[in-house]
Amino acid sequence: MAVRMPDPNVCPDPGRLDAAGDLRARNLIALSLLPLHHRRVIGAELGAGTPAAAIVDGLAADAPALRAHAARVIAITAARGLCAVGWGDDAYPPLLTVISDPPPVIWVRGDVASLRPLAIAIVGSRAGSPYALSVAGKLAGDLAARGCVVVSGLARGVDSAAHRGALEAGGLTVAVLGCGADIVYPAEHRGLAREVAERGALVSELAPGTRPHPHFFPLRNRIISALARAVVVIEAGEKSGSLITARTALEQGREVLAVPGNILNGRNRGGHALLRDGAKIVETADDILEELGLAPARRRDPGCGSPASKSASVTVSDDPVMACLTPGDACDLDAIASETAWPVTQILPRLFELELQGIIKRVAGGRWVRVDSSC
Amino acid sequence: MAVRMPDPNVCPDPGRLDAAGDLRARNLIALSLLPLHHRRVIGAELGAGTPAAAIVDGLAADAPALRAHAARVIAITAARGLCAVGWGDDAYPPLLTVISDPPPVIWVRGDVASLRPLAIAIVGSRAGSPYALSVAGKLAGDLAARGCVVVSGLARGVDSAAHRGALEAGGLTVAVLGCGADIVYPAEHRGLAREVAERGALVSELAPGTRPHPHFFPLRNRIISALARAVVVIEAGEKSGSLITARTALEQGREVLAVPGNILNGRNRGGHALLRDGAKIVETADDILEELGLAPARRRDPGCGSPASKSASVTVSDDPVMACLTPGDACDLDAIASETAWPVTQILPRLFELELQGIIKRVAGGRWVRVDSSC
């Protein structure tokens, strides 16, 4: 494949490729520029060994014009700091080759190598509740701490909480976009996107400069699931896009797991429907790894399963104030006083102490919330 | 069977029974007074048609003394307003005859007939969270509204919320006790027990006057599951007594279902373990009835499944303030303002309006909580 970004740490061979490679790249990119509904046919032909040039000639109404367009895209790719990885390249993720509608090319901002190790996708509501965001951050962090790459979609809510959880745990994370890999959507995730590019990769099958469009996102979801061994759904309502990711995961032979939650607020109907249909229930990162046969089945103990959480869980079980603070739910002084039966004069110093330790923080309305999401 | 309580509306044949009936009652009650570990042998003998007198003679160290004790119990039974229903009586619940360790006699305060119709058990944490109590009340109310008797254990938390939910919906409910049916434990449930006796029954296999003891409760649980077609577990921690009820339900061939919830607070580990092991997931009363083949499988819609909840669900989806108030979670003005992006001057009148409609109420700390638990 021809087009690489200039940073030698990221793309191993930044030099100009030979004419043959250049030609192949141009044809694969030309295939990428065809309407997305051609992906399945292109995938079948590439899988059968048909040269990209022949597929372009077969599918394009005006092949020379399409190739000229591809040449312009190649120029943009390098200029925008992206790396284009095409079908057949060493860096092309093997997990993508086994789906029925693989992208002929993926554009990558960041480290192409982060697309190869064991990856788990975490997806869910864009309007995630505090509970969903806590869960996403914790699971992602625990997975990252165990060496998994966390894949998601850079969307608001659960997606970004998952990326951040992985980053905060010092792990790798991959964001698959519904726009060009040089564009950040939503714009408020610019900083997050930069961090993802530094500690993983932003990925898209859409040519650089492609603006986000609603119909790109469902298609993007199949790449999220394809790049992962398992998809974990957190807080998907009945019509959540995450259910599309779950469906593509099943079609691709990936595991689908779901995190349970509140049945009264309607936010988990989609996730619970998945559980009803046989998805595995997730409470901890180990549940996911066990399901993949990557961790021994264990007798469940009262801890969270993560060694890092043990000390926190001791704190909680020993401390009546911490015991009031359910992760993800803010609690005010009255509620803590009523649950602990402690006088306020005793609670306040304890709250300050816990705040100093960074275990809790004060939020709007004079309420307190746990910073850690360990049990 | 001999011993009936004096109210002709409750026990259909309040007159004195003949000597043969009296004798059989005394022998069955004598069997009841033997240590509980004999229940299995007694069940096998009764099931095989062995007369109660012969079983007493075979098992009791001092049969005449045991029969004399039984005679004193008979006297107490009537005096305490209880009805004793023995194995072989018309009123003895057929569901109890098919378990391996049936009680030879059950003492009933209330309407014996309430032990016969379709019953669903709802069990869960004694320290139920607001969420668990909301769910228990709502499911029990919806089940009761569909003509099911709600069976539980009169304990604090989920049990009492289930009884109350059934009563508030105008339905029947049965409480199985870990003490004599003339004793209320915990004492604070005296009023609830009275209502249950008026609109269902208090039931125990323990002789009148028996004080509660920790080892009675696990054994009591098998009667809760035996009297029901299905057991629904709400918020069971890892060592919850509700898991005993789930186990006895499975041993007795009853359906086990569980309500999912928060994975971070540790309160649902037991319930989620049941789901992992194949228990059906419950979001609505219809999920339970479907599982029992008593309601047609339906396409899940965004409503709660209960016709009564439709209007409320419209309110919620239309009203940004209601949308902030997750059932079971209290929310303060700041949080509502932040979620709705409404000015406080607009929120407050709306809160008052909703309070006037009885849909929400003010709780400690200037927070608001939904009164209904519809979606």
Side-chain angles (χ1 to χ4, degrees):
Chain A
M1 184 72 198
V3 189
R4 315 246 171 188
M5 69 182 285
D7 178 355
N9 293 323
V10 172
C11 280
D13 178 8
R16 288 191 61 80
L17 293 188
D18 58 31
D22 218 349
L23 202 61
R24 196 168 69 83
R26 203 182 307 163
N27 280 304
L28 283 169
I29 289 175
L31 290 177
S32 280
L33 298 172
L34 287 168
L36 291 168
H37 63 79
H38 285 303
R39 289 289 191 261
R40 208 169 278 265
V41 173
I42 294 170
E45 293 293 343
L46 289 172
T50 311
I55 311 173
V56 172
D57 290 334
L59 288 176
D62 182 347
L66 190 65
R67 287 194 179 93
H69 184 182
R72 290 193 297 276
V73 168
I74 288 175
I76 299 171
T77 297
R80 304 222 173 147
L82 303 182
C83 177
V85 179
W87 175 279
D89 281 2
D90 286 348
Y92 191 88
L95 283 166
L96 284 183
T97 63
V98 295
I99 67 172
S100 62
D101 42 10
V105 175
I106 51 171
W107 280 267
V108 179
R109 186 174 141 208
D111 187 357
V112 172
S114 61
L115 303 179
R116 300 193 70 117
L118 171 65
I120 308 290
I122 295 181
V123 297
S125 172
R126 283 195 300 276
S129 68
Y131 167 69
L133 304 185
S134 286
V135 170
K138 168 152 184 60
L139 285 181
D142 287 351
L143 287 168
R146 285 160 177 71
C148 301
V149 175
V150 173
V151 181
S152 195
L154 203 75
R156 293 188 184 95
V158 165
D159 284 21
S160 53
H163 292 303
R164 288 196 178 99
L167 292 168
E168 281 163 18
L172 296 177
T173 187
V174 166
V176 185
L177 310 182
C179 54
D182 55 332
I183 289 177
V184 176
Y185 178 82
E188 74 224 44
H189 288 171
R190 202 173 301 276
L192 176 61
R194 197 177 312 116
E195 283 188 76
V196 171
E198 280 162 13
R199 300 283 300 288
L202 299 161
V203 177
S204 179
E205 67 173 322
L206 301 164
T210 308
R211 310 295 312 170
H213 188 280
H215 83 261
F216 291 149
F217 290 90
L219 292 161
R220 172 276 305 262
N221 292 357
R222 83 186 196 289
I223 301 183
I224 293 180
S225 56
L227 285 174
R229 289 276 300 275
V231 171
V232 180
V233 176
I234 300 174
E235 204 170 78
E238 209 148 23
K239 292 177 180 174
S240 167
S242 306
L243 301 181
I244 298 174
T245 318
R247 185 172 50 71
T248 58
L250 291 173
E251 285 165 7
Q252 295 162 352
R254 310 299 192 247
E255 295 294 335
V256 173
L257 305 97
V259 172
N262 190 308
I263 64 164
L264 296 175
N265 62 16
R267 288 173 177 273
N268 292 289
R269 294 237 173 86
H272 291 162
L274 291 174
L275 292 176
R276 202 174 272 116
D277 290 346
K280 290 299 178 308
I281 196 166
V282 173
E283 291 183 293
T284 68
D286 284 337
D287 290 335
I288 304 162
L289 297 179
E290 264 178 39
E291 188 57 23
L292 294 173
L294 299 171
R298 76 218 122 90
R299 205 189 156 322
R300 289 164 203 290
D301 66 12
C304 257
S306 137
S309 72
K310 295 292 179 198
S311 61
S313 85
V314 170
T315 310
V316 174
S317 61
D318 291 346
D319 186 330
V321 172
M322 279 300 282
C324 300
L325 294 168
T326 302
D329 287 334
C331 206
D332 69 7
L333 202 56
D334 287 352
I336 298 170
S338 136
E339 276 203 47
T340 56
W342 279 14
V344 170
T345 49
Q346 190 180 350
I347 297 169
L348 275 174
R350 183 64 189 139
L351 285 170
F352 292 139
E353 222 175 295
L354 291 166
E355 195 180 24
L356 277 176
Q357 289 172 33
I359 298 173
I360 66 170
K361 67 178 177 190
R362 209 186 295 226
V363 293
R367 292 174 306 153
W368 303 79
V369 73
R370 286 167 68 159
V371 171
D372 73 319
S373 51
S374 55
C375 55
Chain B
M1 185 72 197
V3 188
R4 315 247 171 187
M5 68 182 286
D7 178 355
N9 293 324
V10 173
C11 282
D13 179 8
R16 288 188 62 79
L17 292 189
D18 58 30
D22 218 347
L23 202 60
R24 196 169 68 83
R26 204 183 306 164
N27 279 305
L28 283 169
I29 288 174
L31 290 177
S32 281
L33 298 171
L34 286 168
L36 291 168
H37 63 80
H38 285 303
R39 288 290 191 262
R40 209 169 280 265
V41 173
I42 294 170
E45 293 293 342
L46 289 172
T50 312
I55 310 173
V56 172
D57 290 334
L59 289 176
D62 183 348
L66 190 65
R67 287 193 178 96
H69 184 179
R72 290 193 297 277
V73 168
I74 288 176
I76 298 171
T77 297
R80 303 218 174 152
L82 303 182
C83 177
V85 178
W87 175 279
D89 281 2
D90 286 347
Y92 191 88
L95 284 166
L96 284 184
T97 63
V98 295
I99 67 172
S100 63
D101 43 9
V105 174
I106 51 172
W107 280 268
V108 179
R109 186 175 140 207
D111 186 357
V112 173
S114 61
L115 302 179
R116 302 193 69 118
L118 171 65
I120 308 290
I122 294 181
V123 297
S125 172
R126 284 195 299 275
S129 69
Y131 168 69
L133 304 186
S134 285
V135 170
K138 169 153 182 61
L139 285 180
D142 287 352
L143 286 168
R146 286 161 175 72
C148 301
V149 175
V150 173
V151 181
S152 195
L154 203 75
R156 292 188 184 97
V158 165
D159 284 21
S160 54
H163 292 304
R164 287 197 179 97
L167 291 168
E168 281 164 19
L172 297 177
T173 186
V174 166
V176 186
L177 310 182
C179 54
D182 55 333
I183 289 176
V184 176
Y185 178 82
E188 74 223 46
H189 287 170
R190 203 173 301 277
L192 176 61
R194 196 176 313 116
E195 282 188 76
V196 171
E198 281 163 12
R199 300 281 300 286
L202 299 162
V203 176
S204 179
E205 67 173 322
L206 300 163
T210 307
R211 310 295 314 171
H213 189 280
H215 82 261
F216 291 149
F217 290 89
L219 292 162
R220 172 278 302 263
N221 292 357
R222 82 185 197 290
I223 302 183
I224 292 180
S225 56
L227 285 174
R229 288 276 300 276
V231 170
V232 180
V233 176
I234 301 174
E235 203 169 75
E238 208 149 25
K239 292 176 181 175
S240 168
S242 306
L243 301 181
I244 298 174
T245 317
R247 185 173 49 72
T248 59
L250 291 173
E251 286 166 5
Q252 295 160 353
R254 311 298 192 247
E255 295 295 334
V256 173
L257 306 97
V259 172
N262 190 308
I263 64 164
L264 296 175
N265 62 15
R267 289 174 177 271
N268 292 289
R269 293 233 176 88
H272 291 161
L274 292 173
L275 292 176
R276 203 174 270 115
D277 290 345
K280 291 300 178 311
I281 196 167
V282 173
E283 293 183 294
T284 67
D286 285 337
D287 290 335
I288 305 161
L289 297 179
E290 262 178 39
E291 188 57 24
L292 294 173
L294 298 171
R298 75 218 124 90
R299 207 189 155 321
R300 289 166 203 288
D301 65 13
C304 259
S306 137
S309 71
K310 295 291 180 198
S311 60
S313 86
V314 170
T315 309
V316 175
S317 61
D318 291 345
D319 185 331
V321 172
M322 279 301 283
C324 301
L325 295 168
T326 302
D329 285 329
C331 205
D332 70 7
L333 202 56
D334 287 350
I336 297 170
S338 138
E339 275 204 47
T340 55
W342 280 13
V344 170
T345 49
Q346 190 181 350
I347 297 168
L348 275 175
R350 183 64 189 141
L351 285 170
F352 293 139
E353 222 175 293
L354 291 166
E355 195 180 24
L356 277 176
Q357 289 173 32
I359 298 173
I360 66 171
K361 66 178 176 189
R362 208 185 297 226
V363 293
R367 292 174 307 153
W368 305 78
V369 71
R370 286 166 69 159
V371 171
D372 72 319
S373 51
S374 54
C375 57

